[in-house]
Amino acid sequence: MVRVRFAPSPTGYLHLGNARTALFNYIYAKHTNGKLILRVEDTDKERSKKEYEEMLIDDLKWLGIQWDEGPDVGGDYGPYRQSERNEIYKEYIEKLKQSGHIYKCFCTPEELEEERKKALAEGRPPRYSGKCRNLTPEEIKKIEEEGKPYTWRFRVPDGETIVFEDLIKGVVEINVNEFGDFVIVRSDGSPVYNFVVVVDDALMEITHVIRGEDHLSNTPKQILIYRALGFKEPKFAHLPIILGEDKSKLSKRHGAVSVRAFREDGYVSEAMFNGLALLGWHPKKDTEVVSKEEIIEEFDIEDVHNAPAVFDRAKLKWLNGVYIREILDLDDLTNRAIPFFEKFGYEADFEYYKKVLNVIRDSLETLNDVQERAFPFFVDEFEYEEDAKEILQNEESLNVIKTFYEKVSSLNEITQSDFKAITKEIQKELKVKGKALFMPIRVALTGKTSGVDISLLVEVIGKDRVLQRLERAIKTFGG
Ligand code: GLU
C-alpha cells in the first residue's frame, strides 16, 4: 500500500510551492488507493506557530485535500507533530552513537565559518574538515572537561557516491564529498531536519517521498541515515521547481504566492486545484480544464515533468473564470460569493444574490469582481460619470427617460420582456433608436455608459428601484 506524506513546517502561510507538493501527494495517494499522512515539522521552536498550523490545515482543506492520518485526525503512527516525538528521536540518536555512525564535534561556529570561507576562497565546496572525526577517547574527555559544547556529526563514508532512482528526475548520483560529515544533533541537543525526517518517514512507513526539488541535495544524506539505522529506503520523487514568468524562482517578488491570498482575492478552490496540478503535469486531453476526479484518475507520479514549471498567473485567473462562469452550480457559486458581497457592503438575501450572480457571472474572473459588477444591483445613490452626465444633459435623452418612466409606472412589475416591449414602443413613439434610445436609460439607471445588460438589471432590481433611479436622474438633470 502506498503511504505518502506532506510535511509542512508551520512557519508561515501555505504558499503555492508547498500547496502543489501537498496536492501531488494527495492525488498520488488517491490514484493508488493509498494513504496521505500530514506531519507537522515544528522543530524550529522560534519560527513555528500554532496559528500557522491551523491556517495550513484550513487552507489544505479548502483546497480539497484530505489526509488519512495527521495531528488533527490521529492515526496509528503518531504523534504527527515532530515536537511531540522527542523521545523517539532520542532512541535513534542513541542507536547511531552505539554503532559509531555519529561522533562529537567540538568545533565552534567561528571555526567552521573560517573553514567555510577558506574553502570558498580556494574554490572548493565548503565541507567539514573532519577535525573532530578521529579524536581519541582521551582527547574527547579532556575537551569535555573544559565544558565545551558539541554537536553530533554523521560520519560520512569517504568518497562514496550515493545513487538513487528518482521517479521524476531519473538516476541521481551525488558524491558524499560534496557535503562531508554533517550535523545530526545541534549543540542544544535538538536533532536536525535530515535526521528526524528519516526517523519519521521510516516509522510512519512512508513508501514514496514526494517533495520539492529544493530537497534533492538532502536526499543522499537521508539515504546514509536510512542505511545506518537499517531502515528500508522509500522511493523518492522530487517535483520540479516553480518559476515566475521571468524564469526566476517563484517568490513574493512575483506577487501573491500564498493560497490564503488567492482565497481572499476570490479564487475558487476547484480552479486552484486544477491550476496547481498543471505545475509540472498535463492531462492527456487537449485542454487545461480538468476536474479533481479526472486528475486523480489519470495522474501518475512518473508523468510529472522534470523541467521547471512556470507559474502563469494570467492562466490561473482565466481558469478561475471558467469555473465561475461555466462549471460551478449557481447555488454553490452563490454561497461562495456571499462573503465577497458582504465584504463590499452589498447586503441582500440568498435569492437576491443568486439572481444577481445569474446575470453577472459571465463577466467574473474572480469573486472579488463582484465589487464592480454587482454595484448597479446594490447601490441606488451612485455618482454619474462625466460622459454619463453629458448624455443626460440633453433634451432628447431626458425625453426618453421620462417616457420610459411613465411606461414602467404603468406596469405591476418589470421583466426582461417588458423592457424589450417598452423600449420598442418608445422607439416608435419618439422615433429614436439604438444608442440614442438605450444610452439615456443605461446612464440613468447605472451612472455609467457601459456595463451590465440593462434588460436584466431592471428585472432584478425591480420596478420601484427603477422608478426611483429614473426620478433621481430627472431631478438631477433638470426635468
Ligand atoms: N518540512 C520540510 C519542508 O517544509 C519537509 C521536507 C520534506 O518533505 O522532506 O520543506
Side-chain angles (χ1 to χ4, degrees):
M1 152 124 84
V2 166
R3 288 176 57 85
V4 292
R5 83 316 191 261
F6 174 55
S9 304
T11 54
Y13 289 109
L14 179 68
H15 59 74
L16 293 180
N18 272 343
R20 194 266 315 252
T21 300
L23 191 95
F24 280 27
N25 274 287
Y26 168 73
I27 298 167
Y28 190 59
K30 287 288 151 203
H31 178 77
T32 54
N33 274 319
K35 296 246 183 290
L36 172 63
I37 288 92
L38 176 68
R39 184 174 69 231
V40 175
E41 305 214 319
D42 57 349
T43 47
D44 185 337
K45 290 185 206 83
E46 309 265 283
R47 292 171 60 225
S48 298
K49 293 212 165 63
K50 190 83 188 147
E51 301 91 272
Y52 286 132
E53 178 184 317
E54 282 159 15
M55 285 193 287
L56 285 169
I57 288 183
D58 188 56
D59 285 340
L60 289 169
K61 284 188 179 161
W62 175 80
L63 269 173
I65 293 175
Q66 290 121 17
W67 45 97
D68 304 282
E69 298 167 28
D72 55 335
V73 291
D76 294 339
Y77 297 77
Y80 293 94
R81 269 186 210 100
Q82 287 184 330
S83 58
E84 294 163 15
R85 296 174 64 80
N86 278 326
E87 291 310 308
I88 302 175
Y89 302 140
K90 277 195 191 134
E91 190 187 326
Y92 287 91
I93 292 168
E94 204 47 49
K95 284 198 170 148
L96 291 176
K97 285 184 198 168
Q98 297 302 330
S99 61
H101 280 98
I102 54 177
Y103 62 87
K104 284 179 185 170
C105 171
F106 297 95
C107 297
T108 62
E110 294 74 27
E111 285 171 307
L112 296 170
E113 184 53 27
E114 270 307 301
E115 248 181 58
R116 208 182 71 88
K117 278 197 192 135
K118 196 157 172 258
L120 288 175
E122 291 167 11
R124 290 181 283 116
R127 72 182 148 104
Y128 180 57
S129 65
K131 193 172 166 208
C132 299
R133 196 176 218 229
N134 298 313
L135 293 177
T136 62
E138 292 72 37
E139 285 170 318
I140 294 174
K141 196 159 169 255
K142 199 163 160 263
I143 307 174
E144 276 187 317
E145 275 165 7
E146 293 165 20
K148 256 186 126 181
Y150 57 85
T151 59
W152 286 93
R153 266 184 203 275
F154 191 90
R155 195 183 295 277
V156 165
D158 200 26
E160 188 168 325
T161 298
I162 306 292
V163 183
F164 63 97
E165 167 111 34
D166 187 278
L167 295 173
I168 297 167
K169 307 251 148 246
V171 176
V172 178
E173 292 185 22
I174 299 179
N175 191 288
V176 298
N177 285 353
E178 281 182 30
F179 48 84
D181 293 356
F182 53 93
V183 173
I184 289 280
V185 184
R186 297 184 192 91
S187 58
D188 66 359
S190 62
V192 306
Y193 157 75
N194 274 321
F195 169 74
V196 294
V197 78
V198 169
V199 172
D200 291 346
D201 285 342
L203 297 185
M204 293 180 184
E205 294 180 26
I206 300 303
T207 58
H208 297 70
V209 169
I210 304 171
R211 62 185 171 199
E213 192 179 285
D214 48 328
H215 285 291
L216 194 61
S217 61
N218 286 321
T219 307
K221 294 181 188 169
Q222 294 172 13
I223 288 177
L224 287 169
I225 300 171
Y226 275 101
R227 291 181 186 165
L229 289 171
F231 288 143
K232 185 173 181 300
E233 292 164 37
K235 293 199 163 75
F236 291 96
H238 288 91
L239 304 171
I241 185 171
I242 305 176
L243 305 179
E245 270 148 286
D246 61 355
K247 306 284 151 67
S248 70
K249 190 167 186 274
L250 186 68
S251 73
K252 283 192 192 125
R253 282 185 303 108
H254 296 96
V257 286
S258 70
V259 168
R260 187 60 59 136
F262 283 95
R263 270 176 88 168
E264 285 169 0
D265 284 349
Y267 282 74
V268 298
S269 59
E270 288 82 352
M272 281 310 279
F273 194 102
N274 187 158
L276 288 171
L278 298 176
L279 292 174
W281 178 82
H282 200 282
K284 290 195 184 70
K285 62 178 185 178
D286 194 20
T287 166
E288 299 204 298
V289 184
V290 259
S291 69
K292 181 174 174 177
E293 293 69 30
E294 288 172 297
I295 296 169
I296 289 171
E297 167 80 32
E298 207 184 291
F299 181 88
D300 213 335
I301 197 74
E302 279 102 355
D303 298 338
V304 174
H305 312 151
N306 190 359
V310 178
F311 174 61
D312 182 342
R313 203 171 283 273
K315 192 205 284 181
L316 182 63
K317 197 170 196 185
W318 167 80
L319 257 181
N320 200 55
V322 171
Y323 278 87
I324 290 177
R325 295 188 299 267
E326 298 168 26
I327 299 178
L328 295 182
D329 156 80
L330 185 59
D331 278 343
D332 183 16
L333 178 65
T334 306
N335 279 319
R336 298 192 209 201
I338 286 175
F340 290 84
F341 282 121
E342 287 173 348
K343 173 166 93 176
F344 301 118
Y346 299 155
E347 299 294 338
D349 60 14
F350 182 87
E351 285 308 315
Y352 188 78
Y353 287 135
K354 187 172 160 183
K355 278 189 205 156
V356 173
L357 282 168
N358 190 37
V359 176
I360 65 169
R361 73 187 290 181
D362 280 345
S363 67
L364 302 180
E365 275 195 307
T366 70
L367 296 177
N368 255 352
D369 291 343
V370 300
Q371 176 171 29
E372 192 197 327
R373 299 294 172 174
F375 184 87
F377 297 87
F378 290 92
V379 181
D380 297 305
E381 306 279 311
F382 48 80
E383 307 247 339
Y384 300 91
E385 287 180 355
E386 281 312 313
D387 48 354
K389 283 183 189 160
E390 269 169 42
I391 288 164
L392 290 172
Q393 282 153 352
N394 166 303
E395 221 22 65
E396 190 182 71
S397 298
L398 279 173
N399 218 5
V400 169
I401 54 175
K402 281 181 193 159
T403 317
F404 182 65
Y405 181 93
E406 276 153 29
K407 294 198 182 282
V408 176
S409 309
S410 66
L411 298 170
N412 286 330
E413 250 319 324
I414 176 163
T415 64
Q416 185 181 19
S417 57
D418 292 330
F419 179 85
K420 288 188 174 150
I422 294 177
T423 46
K424 220 172 238 148
E425 285 172 27
I426 302 176
Q427 181 177 340
K428 273 201 201 121
E429 289 167 24
L430 302 186
K431 308 227 178 321
V432 288
K433 59 176 186 196
K435 248 182 141 177
L437 167 58
F438 291 102
M439 202 47 96
I441 300 175
R442 169 179 295 284
V443 297
L445 294 179
T446 68
K448 293 189 177 66
T449 54
S450 66
V452 64
D453 180 334
I454 297 297
S455 68
L456 296 170
L457 174 73
V458 296
E459 178 166 324
V460 176
I461 65 175
K463 176 184 164 183
D464 292 345
R465 288 170 74 195
V466 168
L467 291 179
Q468 189 191 322
R469 290 185 194 189
L470 293 170
E471 263 169 44
R472 180 166 171 252
I474 294 165
K475 248 191 227 136
T476 311
F477 297 94

